[in-house]
Amino acid sequence: MGITRVLVANRGEIARRVFATCRRLGLGTVAVYTDPDAAAPHVAEADARVGLPKPNDYLNAEAIIAAARAAGADAVHPGYGFLSENAAFASAVQSAGLTWIGPPVDAVRAMGSKIESKKLMSAAGVPVLDELDPETVTEAQLPVLVKASAGGGGRGMRVVHELSSIPDEVAAARREAQSAFGDPTVFCERYLPTGHHIEVQVLADSHGTVWAVGERECSIQRRHQKIIEEAPAPLVERTPGMRAKLFDAARLAAGAIGYTGAGTVEFLADEDGEFYFLEMNTRLQVEHPVTEETTGLDLVELQLLVADGGRLESEPPTATGHSIEARLYAEDPARNWQPQAGQVHTIDVPGVRTQFDTLGQRTGIRLDSGIADGSVVSIHYDPMLAKLISYAPTRRQSALVLADALARTRLHGLRTNRELLVNVLRHPAFLDGATDTAFFDTHDLAVLSAPLADATAVRWSAVAAALADAAHNRVTAQVFGSVPSGWRNLTSGYQVKTYRDDDDSEQRIEYRFTRTGLEFANDEAAHLISASPDEVVLADDNGVATSFAVARYGEDIYVDSARGPVHLTAVPRFPEPGAGVEKGSLVAPMPGNVIRLGAQVGDSVTAGQPLIWLEAMKMEHTITAPADGVLTQLDVATGQQVEVGAILARVEVPGNEGDS
């Protein structure tokens, strides 16, 4: 009979991606969702939707299968993450009489344990890095990488440089692995500080055809999680014979476990092109769009074809051109990658030619997004918001097109890694193809995270915000609405607007309207061309004009221009009494759940000592003592949920008792 209605056992961007292909093929769609996702775009887009009781129920196989039956689905697509590589779930789906849009259960099981998969690949002749037992690691084997045996995405991974740190890092990795994948098993392997993360997309049918579709390079990573991926791989392009060896190894890996469907064989390679098997992901990868763009394939459509018993062509299409994907995360790279949660007021990517579909090998931008205007980013899930994917005939053009689209995106409401992505894509080393896994260590993360707008652009953006606010006041005034704000028959004092930028610097704008036009108290170099509540045009002394788009959300003001995006916070003229934070206070940098405490009230603590562990977005984050002192206040307990900005504790430093 064939597949007619697909339930996606996932959320966000990947659920929308699968739904898009299903719609093109005329298939029905079913979404599952938890309370934090009730208003998410993937839920609204499905033909039918079924609620799940708890935030972690994307890991509840029984509830998902019950949802599929209730909604009349006859097939389940797992997406990536959650239960996508869980053999027991795949088996349960099939036992329920549903079609599993994935590889055979035995293949999922064989590759589901990184420990066992390495043994299997070694026996098949695929080069591997030896597994190390955390209990027996020696000084000579350092540094090592602690890894979760199940799952991926950087969860449950820790680099260890000292033997004394291994027990704590293993324990933390186990907690993360349990939270993200339901399996706390971890292992160690030798850590290569610099290398290239190269992977091969494979696709196989049940009739004996196995494709090595193309390779991807995913070496730009943070916390062992990819943020920029591309096809083809620069290292492979410049290393004669490497592609053929990679493809042979990937096909060998797939054949060794009787693989069918879409999967990815991941390798770690050195600069000379020698490579070692890392793992096989028995699912669709986050970065699959770059392979789609360079080949013209719809990998989800092919997954459905294979699951329905269909045949692949004898050979895959030849890849052409270059595609790069950038993952847009709600996080702050400059502050140890702190995840962010809250509302996305606006996301507007200019020049998007397609969403969840290939560009047809034409230069442009594709957007695969899990959010829309008004979406709320929860603390419960991965902080990835969207993926921007470029295609162009050359790698350099693909990078520049993508950087430009990111830089001009109107993104309001959350701090993101957008600046980092743009700076990496425009960096000379990246453009030269020098993209090993130590990129952030080599090129200074602080520099790469720098704002796109320089000090002058920030100042002009503050001027534009002040003038837009004045225009807004004129438009909304009950009387004298057409009279410029501050206008008098005689010269009046200056109007004053004060803002804080993201560097916590004060931007004080003093202006007045006179008979001869706009006048600034501080001899601003900007000259007003026009002003409305949402757009201000300013020119420099040479007459070169720039348009500034201004958007307000309470005290938050976002100014977008060709000079770079700027976020400002309006400073009230009369601050609330007691609004300051007492010195030595530890403030929650994100919403999260307190999972551990490192000290009690009255304890002496040292600068940098971990005091509170928060879990947010399936990762652990530590809050440390700001200085040597005594913990005099502790306002949280294990298991407590906290909001961003909440006072968690206070450390009193000797000699500062009277400070405030």
Side-chain angles (χ1 to χ4, degrees):
M1 178 178 174
I3 296 170
T4 62
R5 186 173 244 204
V6 178
L7 178 143
V8 178
N10 220 293
R11 64 181 296 278
E13 168 268 328
I14 187 58
R16 300 183 77 192
R17 166 69 190 90
V18 176
F19 290 162
T21 289
C22 288
R23 281 196 301 274
R24 286 195 291 272
L25 298 178
L27 302 179
T29 56
V30 180
V32 289
Y33 66 94
T34 61
D35 283 348
D37 276 343
H42 83 273
V43 179
E45 291 174 357
D47 297 325
R49 64 214 63 168
V50 182
L52 301 173
K54 300 175 183 177
N56 66 347
D57 270 355
Y58 291 113
L59 291 169
N60 187 334
E62 184 178 337
I64 290 170
I65 292 171
R69 284 172 162 164
D74 51 25
V76 173
H77 192 298
Y80 51 71
F82 295 122
L83 293 171
S84 63
E85 295 177 280
N86 186 300
F89 177 57
S91 179
V93 167
Q94 294 177 334
S95 296
L98 305 169
T99 298
W100 168 249
I101 304 172
V105 173
D106 287 345
V108 177
R109 185 176 292 112
M111 295 292 104
S113 165
K114 293 183 177 68
I115 295 172
E116 296 305 316
S117 67
K118 281 175 173 267
K119 295 176 182 177
L120 187 60
M121 291 298 103
S122 180
V126 179
V128 301
L129 285 172
D130 292 336
E131 175 206 343
L132 303 174
D133 183 345
E135 301 291 334
T136 61
V137 170
T138 66
E139 192 80 37
Q141 292 170 323
L142 294 176
V144 297
L145 181 64
V146 181
K147 297 179 71 172
S149 183
R155 269 70 173 181
M157 282 194 185
R158 294 286 196 281
V159 177
V160 183
H161 295 275
E162 298 179 4
L163 283 178
S164 61
S165 301
I166 288 181
D168 285 345
E169 297 295 359
V170 166
R174 283 176 175 153
R175 288 192 298 269
E176 282 187 356
Q178 176 64 42
S179 176
F181 315 117
D183 182 351
T185 307
V186 299
F187 67 100
C188 290
E189 66 185 15
R190 184 163 56 96
Y191 178 63
L192 303 181
T194 61
H196 294 263
H197 192 120
I198 308 293
E199 59 189 34
V200 179
Q201 175 72 58
V202 296
L203 200 68
D205 62 23
S206 57
H207 306 284
T209 300
V210 180
W211 284 358
V213 181
E215 89 282 347
R216 301 183 284 256
E217 181 150 357
C218 313
S219 302
I220 307 296
Q221 302 179 5
R222 60 97 167 103
R223 288 182 169 173
H224 314 291
Q225 189 172 45
K226 308 156 191 172
I227 60 171
I228 295 177
E229 305 103 336
E230 56 183 308
L235 176 67
V236 177
E237 289 279 272
R238 63 176 179 260
T239 307
M242 185 178 179
R243 180 170 289 122
K245 292 178 182 178
L246 277 170
F247 285 10
D248 286 345
R251 285 189 290 258
L252 184 62
I257 57 173
Y259 200 83
T260 62
T264 299
V265 186
E266 302 199 354
F267 301 94
L268 185 64
D270 62 24
E271 196 61 42
D272 296 326
E274 296 296 321
F275 56 86
Y276 306 91
F277 173 84
L278 285 176
E279 61 187 352
M280 183 174 185
N281 294 131
T282 54
R283 55 170 168 81
L284 201 64
Q285 293 280 84
V286 177
E287 59 271 21
H288 75 274
V290 296
T291 297
E292 293 184 324
E293 293 306 324
T294 51
T295 62
L297 297 172
D298 181 332
L299 292 177
V300 173
E301 181 177 351
L302 292 173
Q303 283 185 297
L304 292 163
L305 171 75
V306 170
D308 224 5
R311 291 178 178 269
L312 299 172
E313 299 290 335
S314 59
E315 295 291 336
T318 302
T320 60
H322 206 99
S323 180
I324 304 176
E325 173 182 286
R327 302 189 193 186
L328 191 64
Y329 279 100
E331 65 184 12
D332 187 348
R335 291 176 172 82
N336 197 30
W337 311 100
Q338 286 179 1
Q340 310 291 302
Q343 187 173 41
V344 178
H345 300 301
T346 299
I347 178 169
D348 179 19
V349 183
V352 171
R353 295 181 59 173
T354 184
Q355 296 190 56
F356 305 109
D357 195 8
T358 63
L359 290 155
Q361 297 184 325
R362 297 176 298 165
T363 299
I365 293 293
R366 162 181 168 176
L367 175 65
D368 286 15
S369 175
I371 59 168
D373 291 358
S375 289
V376 175
V377 178
S378 163
I379 66 169
H380 298 290
Y381 309 115
D382 187 276
M384 190 176 77
L385 304 178
K387 305 180 314 196
L388 275 70
I389 305 105
S390 64
Y391 176 84
T394 67
R395 182 176 182 274
R396 181 180 181 85
Q397 186 179 3
S398 186
L400 296 180
V401 165
L402 182 54
D404 181 67
L406 281 161
R408 293 191 297 119
T409 292
R410 295 177 65 236
L411 185 57
H412 305 160
L414 288 175
R415 191 183 296 271
T416 72
N417 67 336
R418 183 251 299 269
E419 283 77 9
L420 174 75
L421 296 172
V422 173
N423 289 330
V424 170
L425 290 165
R426 289 174 172 170
H427 196 282
F430 181 88
L431 294 174
D432 287 342
T435 56
D436 63 36
T437 54
F439 193 90
F440 292 145
D441 296 328
T442 304
H443 299 293
D444 191 347
L445 180 60
V447 173
L448 292 171
S449 302
L452 303 181
D454 61 18
T456 299
V458 172
R459 183 66 183 175
W460 279 42
S461 295
V463 169
L467 298 179
D469 191 48
H472 173 75
N473 291 340
R474 290 197 301 273
V475 170
T476 57
Q478 297 297 312
V479 293
F480 302 123
S482 62
V483 180
S485 173
W487 186 91
R488 302 286 180 85
N489 190 35
L490 299 173
T491 300
S492 66
Y494 289 100
Q495 299 281 304
V496 178
K497 295 289 183 183
T498 306
Y499 308 95
R500 287 203 174 275
D501 59 33
D502 282 343
D503 286 334
D504 206 31
S505 297
E506 186 175 278
Q507 301 290 337
R508 181 181 172 91
I509 309 300
E510 301 179 58
Y511 67 93
R512 64 185 177 190
F513 290 96
T514 69
R515 291 185 179 89
T516 58
L518 180 66
E519 180 181 291
F520 293 100
N522 298 320
D523 294 325
E524 306 286 354
H527 304 281
L528 178 63
I529 304 297
S530 63
S532 69
D534 55 9
E535 184 179 31
V536 173
V537 180
L538 301 173
D540 62 18
D541 291 335
N542 296 318
V544 178
T546 301
S547 177
F548 295 83
V550 182
R552 303 170 199 76
Y553 311 93
E555 292 182 350
D556 285 311
I557 300 166
Y558 293 84
V559 184
D560 293 285
S561 75
R563 291 175 173 240
V566 173
H567 169 235
L568 301 167
T569 304
V571 177
R573 291 179 64 189
F574 306 105
E576 291 288 331
V581 176
E582 196 171 3
K583 191 171 183 178
S585 296
L586 278 65
V587 177
M590 70 205 79
N593 182 50
V594 178
I595 60 173
R596 187 179 170 196
L597 298 175
Q600 297 298 321
V601 171
D603 289 353
S604 295
V605 298
T606 57
Q609 177 182 336
L611 299 181
I612 300 169
W613 281 258
L614 286 181
E615 183 185 58
M617 278 93 169
K618 302 297 182 185
M619 299 285 279
E620 286 189 13
H621 309 270
T622 56
I623 298 174
T624 61
D628 294 351
V630 176
L631 185 63
T632 58
Q633 179 182 333
L634 186 62
D635 297 329
V636 293
T638 302
Q640 183 177 334
Q641 287 285 134
V642 298
E643 296 299 320
V644 63
I647 305 297
L648 307 179
R650 181 169 179 263
V651 173
E652 191 170 281
V653 179
N656 292 344
E657 291 84 352
D659 290 352
S660 59

